[in-house]
Amino acid sequence: MGLAFNGNMDPELSSLSSLGPETRAQRREFLKRLAMVAGSSALLAELPWWSPLRAAPVSDSPSDRVRLGVIGIGSRGSFLLANLLRTPGVEVAALCDDYPPHLEAALAKVKGAKGFSDHRQMLDMPGLDGVLIAVPLFLHARMCLDAFAAGKHVFCEKSLAYSIEECQAIADAHRGSSKVFQIGHQRMFSPVFLRALELIRDGQIGQITQIRAYWHRNGNWRNPVPATGPDPSPFPSLERRLNWRLYLDYSRGLMTELASHHMQVANWFLGARPVSCAGYGSINYWKDGREVYDNVNLVYRYNNGTQVIYDSLISNRFYGMEVQVMGPKGTIEGETGKIFAENPPPAPGIVQLINEIEHGFFDTVPIGGPSWVPELKKDTKGSYLVREHTADDGTAISMAAFANAIRAGKPIPGMMEQACRAGVSVLMGHNAMEQQQEISWPEGFRE
Amino acid sequence: MKDIVISGRRIARELWICAGCVLAALGVNVYAIIRFHTEWKELITTLHITLAVAAVFYAVLALLRGCVFGVMRAFRRKAA
Ligand SMILES: NC(=O)c1ccc[n+]([C@@H]2O[C@H](COP(=O)([O-])OP(=O)(O)OC[C@H]3O[C@@H](n4cnc5c(N)ncnc54)[C@H](O)[C@@H]3O)[C@@H](O)[C@H]2O)c1
C-alpha cells in the first residue's frame, strides 16, 4: 500500500520531473517552468546554485548566445555535448580531444565546431566563453587552471581533482577569478533530490541520524581495447588510455568515479563536511592487473555525531546503487526517489481484511517463526518523491544553469564548496584505505 | 437470430440481488472497520473497494445459481 505523505508537496516541483525536454523548443518551455520554481522555492537558501535558473529562458539570437567548447569527448563528454546541443542559447564552438577517433566522431555531430587536439590551443580561440572538461581525473586540475588562466568559465566533471592539493589549487584559482565554475554533480540539479531535501527540511524523516550509500555492479568496469589503434601517448598504452579509471596514476577508482556522487549528496543534505573517515578496500575478485580497489568500505564521521557509511563493489549487483537518508520518522532513498515512513498509517480495514483472507488461503502455515521476524526489513512500498521520473538526471538542467550563469557573468554561489567537499571527502576515503588509518579533513583547507 | 426476452420480473429480481450484494459488502466493510479499529469515514473513502467486493459476491452468486439451475434441469429431464 503506497503511503500518502501529507507534507506540503510542491506541485510545481513535482511536475518538473514530468517533462522530458527533448528538443530545443521543449527545453525552452521546460526552462520557463524551471525559472518559476527556482524563483519561488523556499529552499533557495540551501540551493544557491539554482539561482542562475531564475533567469528567463533565452532566445537563439546571437546576443544571447554563449559559445562553449568541450574538452574530452569520450563517454561523458559525448553525453554533455548532446545536452549542450539542446540547450537554448548555447553554441558549441569548439571540441577538443587528443584521441582522434573520439574527436572525429564528435566533430561529425556538430556543424561548424572547430576541432583541437591540444586544449591550450582551444583556450586561445577568440570568442570562446567557457569550457566543459570531461577528461580523466588526473587532468582535471591542469585543465581547470589553464582555463581560468585563459579567462574562461569552467564546467569540470566530477570528481574535482586527483589530489587534495589539486582541489585546493582549483579553489584558490577560482577565488582569484571572477569566472563561473561548475562541477558535474548532476544530483545538485535533480528535482528528485531537491524534493528529498524539501521533505527532510520539512521534518518528514526527523533528524538525519545516518546516511548509507552504496554502488554495486557486477562487471569488470573495462572498456574494450582494440588490438591496434592510434598512438596512445601521452599514455603508455591504449589499455591505459581507454581504461584509465583502473590505474592509480590517473584515477582513484571507485571513490572518485562513483562514491563522489553520493558523498556530494551526503555533505549537501547534512550541510557539513566530514570530520574524518576510516575504512578498508582491496582487490578481492578482479585480479586482472588493475591497480584500483574492486571493493571499498568506509565510514565518515561528522561533527554532530552523524555517520555516513559508504561501500562499493563490482562483483555483485543485487543491491544496485542507492543513497539512504535515515531518521527516526522515515527513510528517503534518493536514487529510487522514494520516501518510507517508519510507522506508515494502517491500510483501510477492508483492505486489511482482504489481505488477511488472502494470507489465510495462500500462505504456508508457519510451525513457529523465528523470533527475529519482526526485526526483518519492512516490506512497505513507500511513496514516490515526484510524480514521474524522466530520462534527465539533472544534467540537462545543470547545462542550462551553466549557460545562464555565464550570460549573467556571475559565479554560481555555493558551487565550489560542494565540489571541494565531495572531492576532498573521496580523497580522504582513498587515503584512509591506502594508509589503513583514520584520516581527518585537511586542516586549513579553504573551500 | 433469435431475440432473447428478459421479463420485467427477472430484471427486478436481478436488481434486488445486486442491492443485496452491495448491502452485504457494506456489512463486510463495517465488520472490518470494527475489527481493525479504523475510521468510519472509510465507508465512503473505500466505496470503490466495497463495490468491487459486491461485484465478486454477485459473480459468486451467479455461479452458484447457474449450478443449481443446471442440476435442476438435469433432474427434470431425467424425470420426463
Ligand atoms: N557526472 C557523471 O555522472 C559522470 C559520468 C561518467 C564520467 N564522469 C566523469 O567524466 C570524466 C570523463 O569520463 P569518461 O567516462 O567520459 O571517460 P572517457 O575515457 O570515456 O573519456 C575521456 C576523454 O578524454 C580524452 N582525453 C584524455 N586526455 C586528453 C587530453 N590531454 N586532451 C583532450 N582530451 C583528452 C580521451 O581521449 C577521452 O575521449 C571523468 O572525470 C569522469 O569521472 C562523470
Side-chain angles (χ1 to χ4, degrees):
Chain A
M1 188 75 200
L3 307 178
F5 258 81
N6 45 12
N8 55 338
M9 178 72 168
D10 180 339
E12 281 294 339
L13 186 56
S14 100
S15 71
L16 269 184
S17 59
S18 65
L19 246 181
E22 282 317 313
T23 64
R24 264 193 188 222
Q26 282 174 317
R27 203 163 273 201
R28 189 171 287 117
E29 189 52 40
F30 173 73
L31 292 173
K32 213 187 283 176
R33 286 173 56 187
L34 198 62
M36 272 165 45
V37 176
S40 65
S41 175
L43 277 179
L44 263 186
E46 288 194 73
L47 302 162
W49 52 88
W50 272 65
S51 56
L53 293 164
R54 276 187 272 183
V58 292
S59 68
D60 276 328
S61 83
S63 58
D64 277 338
R65 204 174 296 158
V66 295
R67 300 181 81 225
L68 301 176
V70 184
I71 310 176
I73 317 139
S75 144
R76 184 66 184 170
S78 302
F79 187 68
L80 294 180
L81 180 60
N83 270 283
L84 281 177
L85 292 174
R86 293 198 294 258
T87 305
V90 165
E91 178 191 338
V92 179
L95 296 167
C96 170
D97 200 301
D98 68 348
Y99 186 59
H102 288 178
L103 181 60
E104 282 153 24
L107 283 171
K109 286 182 212 150
V110 192
K111 256 190 266 148
K114 242 181 131 185
F116 296 90
S117 58
D118 185 329
H119 73 282
R120 286 161 301 189
Q121 283 170 8
M122 180 171 131
L123 291 172
D124 287 340
M125 180 177 158
L128 197 65
D129 295 305
V131 291
L132 291 93
I133 298 170
V135 292
L137 179 74
F138 77 112
L139 294 169
H140 286 193
R142 188 196 308 168
M143 300 216 170
C144 284
L145 296 180
D146 286 349
F148 281 136
K152 305 296 177 208
H153 301 286
V154 175
F155 177 106
C156 179
E157 258 311 330
K158 59 83 264 277
S159 182
L160 181 58
Y162 177 77
S163 69
I164 293 176
E165 294 71 30
E166 286 182 354
C167 291
Q168 185 66 80
I170 297 174
D172 289 344
H174 178 242
R175 202 173 303 111
S177 87
S178 55
K179 296 295 164 191
V180 173
F181 174 82
Q182 190 165 325
I183 187 80
H185 282 306
Q186 61 270 39
R187 284 160 185 76
M188 292 167 75
F189 290 96
S190 152
V192 177
F193 280 86
L194 211 64
R195 176 76 186 129
L197 184 67
E198 193 176 42
L199 290 177
I200 291 167
R201 296 299 180 253
D202 191 43
Q204 299 273 344
I205 64 165
Q207 175 202 331
I208 298 177
T209 47
Q210 183 172 304
I211 295 179
R212 191 168 63 182
Y214 47 85
W215 204 315
H216 296 183
R217 292 176 171 175
N218 196 344
N220 63 9
W221 210 27
R222 282 181 173 284
N223 286 318
V225 180
T228 55
D231 173 17
S233 60
F235 293 83
S237 63
L238 263 184
E239 154 65 13
R240 284 189 175 234
R241 170 178 272 285
L242 297 173
N243 286 313
W244 55 270
R245 46 173 63 77
L246 302 182
Y247 299 96
L248 285 172
D249 280 346
Y250 319 115
S251 169
R252 296 317 197 179
L254 294 171
M255 293 310 296
T256 48
E257 303 312 319
L258 299 183
S260 56
H261 285 300
H262 288 154
M263 286 312 300
Q264 184 272 318
V265 172
N267 293 335
W268 169 28
F269 282 11
L270 289 170
R273 55 196 194 194
V275 176
S276 67
C277 83
Y280 294 95
S282 67
I283 302 176
N284 68 8
Y285 186 74
W286 293 107
K287 298 176 184 176
D288 56 1
R290 73 186 58 209
E291 294 167 0
V292 301
Y293 298 140
D294 65 6
N295 71 101
V296 296
N297 304 271
L298 292 132
V299 180
Y300 287 84
R301 194 166 62 84
Y302 288 74
N303 61 11
N304 67 350
T306 306
Q307 260 82 243
V308 172
I309 300 165
Y310 184 83
D311 84 282
S312 185
L313 79 158
I314 48 174
S315 53
N316 178 299
R317 68 161 312 280
F318 183 70
Y319 285 104
M321 54 101 92
E322 193 51 86
V323 52
Q324 300 169 324
V325 188
M326 295 176 246
K329 293 206 274 182
T331 301
I332 283 180
E333 293 195 340
E335 301 294 353
T336 321
K338 277 188 155 187
I339 180 163
F340 305 85
E342 279 290 290
N343 298 305
I350 193 161
V351 174
Q352 292 187 55
L353 187 68
I354 292 169
N355 283 342
E356 196 178 85
I357 294 168
E358 232 175 52
H359 285 308
F361 267 111
F362 300 115
D363 283 4
T364 48
V365 182
I367 304 297
S371 60
W372 58 81
V373 165
E375 301 281 327
L376 292 177
K377 183 176 180 292
K378 283 204 193 133
D379 196 20
T380 47
K381 291 203 173 62
S383 45
Y384 283 103
L385 296 172
V386 294
R387 271 181 242 145
E388 278 174 61
H389 280 260
T390 63
D392 181 39
D393 57 0
T395 305
I397 300 178
S398 72
M399 295 292 100
F402 185 53
N404 282 8
I406 293 176
R407 215 171 282 116
K410 282 198 208 129
I412 305 179
M415 188 55 81
M416 185 56 86
E417 183 183 80
Q418 291 295 313
C420 286
R421 285 184 178 182
V424 171
S425 298
V426 293
L427 294 167
M428 284 165 64
H430 173 76
N431 295 343
M433 292 186 292
E434 286 283 290
Q435 296 167 26
Q436 300 208 356
Q437 62 179 36
E438 187 174 356
I439 298 288
S440 297
W441 178 267
E443 213 174 302
F445 189 93
R446 296 171 311 281
E447 293 162 347
Chain B
M1 211 202 273
K2 211 175 113 187
D3 287 339
I4 298 172
V5 181
I6 303 174
S7 68
R9 227 182 102 216
R10 181 86 185 266
I11 291 174
R13 193 176 66 194
E14 291 307 312
L15 282 176
W16 277 112
I17 293 175
C18 259
C21 288
V22 171
L23 267 182
L26 272 171
V28 169
N29 204 349
V30 168
Y31 166 75
I33 289 170
I34 294 169
R35 161 114 191 262
F36 295 102
H37 307 287
T38 53
E39 295 177 43
W40 285 106
K41 70 174 185 207
E42 282 177 14
L43 279 179
I44 308 293
T45 56
T46 60
L47 204 58
H48 58 294
I49 303 177
T50 309
L51 291 179
V53 171
V56 171
F57 284 173
Y58 184 77
V60 170
L61 263 183
L63 201 76
L64 283 177
R65 285 154 64 206
C67 289
V68 171
F69 179 76
V71 170
M72 276 172 51
R73 215 164 113 161
F75 268 119
R76 245 184 256 141
R77 241 191 234 155
K78 233 182 187 178

